[in-house]
Amino acid sequence: MENAQSSAQRIYDQVLAFATIYGGRVLLAIVTLTVGLWLIGWVIRLLSSVMTKRHVDRDVQPFLLSLVSGLLRVLLLISIASTLGVATTSFVAIIGAAGLAVGLALQGSLANFAGGVLILIFKPFRVGDLISAQGFTGNVEAIRIFDTTLVTLDNKTIILPNGPLSTAAITNISTKGTIRVDQVYTVGSQNDIDATEASIRRVIEACPYALNDREHDVLISKLNANSREYDVRVWTSSDTYWQTHYYMLENVARQFGKDGILAPKPQLFVTSE
């Protein structure tokens, strides 16, 4: 019984000594954590408000806020470790070693991160732009730090990693605000040249998407034995590219029928043995 009491007394004395030495530090660490998280939230909200008032690019805001928040949390963690008596030099070394290991394991993700930074800085495209990249064409819905989201013309969502996206060719259809719709029409060589051109131009003049301040082209591009090919180039807004494309296809076919513009005559080849 005496041995048990003495053991309990020793444990009590050790716990009391530990609480005396480290209790204040633990309490201070908890207070530091609580106040630090509140301050970080306050700083992020203030920074967001300032960036909004100063009209900072909306594509860059989420990235800057997440970066500042991450850095502040790391500093808070180091501060708490120092409060608990952990040597910060060793702590920083451990974080550095862990960061190196994670970096080696996530090389692809780091490439996407770097690509996202490049896209946000150099802005080859913005949210809302119509672009063609990596074999896909669509409107940019969101630019995140690791990937970019496109919504295609048939309303499919495509997620493109920023690494390959930042190093490959990108066609930004929306940059200039206007775009040319190029089409080729083939008619029979028996049709009058002027009548054919006039028929196509009537459709262009009636097209609600064709720009009135730009010159549209109707050019003969190729002469064949029984046909002629016309290059038709219509300028329109970047937002109405496909509307113009399909309007021209449908209405040129209708106008050709009204004006008697005929298709090429089939050719018959006779061979003898």
Side-chain angles (χ1 to χ4, degrees):
M1 180 67 69
E2 292 181 359
N3 291 334
Q5 290 179 349
S6 61
S7 298
Q9 184 65 37
R10 284 197 301 270
I11 294 174
Y12 174 78
D13 292 340
Q14 290 175 356
V15 171
L16 183 61
F18 180 85
T20 302
I21 298 173
Y22 296 102
R25 294 183 180 180
V26 172
L27 181 60
L28 182 59
I30 294 174
V31 173
T32 302
L33 176 63
T34 304
V35 175
L37 291 176
W38 182 84
L39 284 175
I40 290 174
W42 179 80
V43 169
I44 295 302
R45 290 191 296 271
L46 178 62
L47 182 59
S48 176
S49 176
V50 170
M51 288 193 295
T52 301
K53 290 180 180 179
R54 293 181 179 273
H55 305 289
V56 176
D57 195 322
R58 60 176 179 169
D59 300 336
V60 180
Q61 288 188 28
F63 168 67
L64 291 178
L65 292 175
S66 61
L67 183 61
V68 172
S69 177
L71 291 175
L72 291 177
R73 289 174 185 272
V74 170
L75 292 175
L76 177 61
L77 183 61
I78 294 175
S79 176
I80 293 173
S82 178
T83 301
L84 291 173
V86 179
T88 54
T89 54
S90 302
F91 194 71
V92 172
I94 293 174
I95 292 178
L100 178 60
V102 172
L104 292 175
L106 300 176
Q107 293 183 28
S109 296
L110 290 177
N112 292 332
F113 175 84
V117 172
L118 292 175
I119 290 173
L120 290 171
I121 291 175
F122 294 105
K123 302 185 184 304
F125 53 83
R126 298 173 180 269
V127 172
D129 284 356
L130 179 64
I131 69 170
S132 181
Q134 303 293 305
F136 299 99
T137 299
N139 292 96
V140 180
E141 184 180 53
I143 304 173
R144 291 183 289 270
I145 196 60
F146 289 106
D147 55 64
T148 294
T149 302
L150 298 184
V151 177
T152 62
L153 301 173
D154 54 352
N155 206 35
K156 295 177 181 177
T157 299
I158 306 295
I159 299 176
L160 301 177
N162 283 337
L165 187 62
S166 65
T167 57
I170 300 172
T171 301
N172 192 327
I173 301 172
S174 300
T175 300
K176 299 298 183 181
T178 58
I179 191 171
R180 196 178 69 186
V181 180
D182 293 353
Q183 296 177 332
V184 177
Y185 295 94
T186 303
V187 301
S189 57
Q190 72 271 27
N191 297 288
D192 181 75
I193 293 177
D194 293 333
T196 303
E197 179 178 345
S199 183
I200 296 173
R201 288 198 176 276
R202 273 193 284 272
V203 177
I204 296 175
E205 292 171 0
C207 179
Y209 311 109
L211 298 178
N212 296 324
D213 58 343
R214 301 297 292 266
E215 183 177 351
H216 312 289
D217 297 323
V218 179
L219 307 169
I220 296 177
S221 59
K222 193 173 183 180
L223 297 174
N224 301 311
N226 68 328
S227 65
R228 287 190 297 270
E229 294 183 7
Y230 287 81
D231 280 351
V232 178
R233 304 167 181 172
V234 181
W235 288 96
T236 186
S237 170
S238 301
D239 298 332
T240 56
Y241 175 88
W242 290 109
Q243 292 93 321
T244 307
H245 173 80
Y246 291 118
Y247 179 94
M248 290 297 299
L249 286 178
E250 178 180 347
N251 287 277
V252 166
R254 292 177 184 274
Q255 194 66 43
F256 279 175
K258 292 180 182 179
D259 296 340
I261 306 298
L262 303 177
K265 294 180 179 179
Q267 288 183 298
L268 179 63
F269 297 93
V270 180
T271 60
S272 59
E273 298 183 1

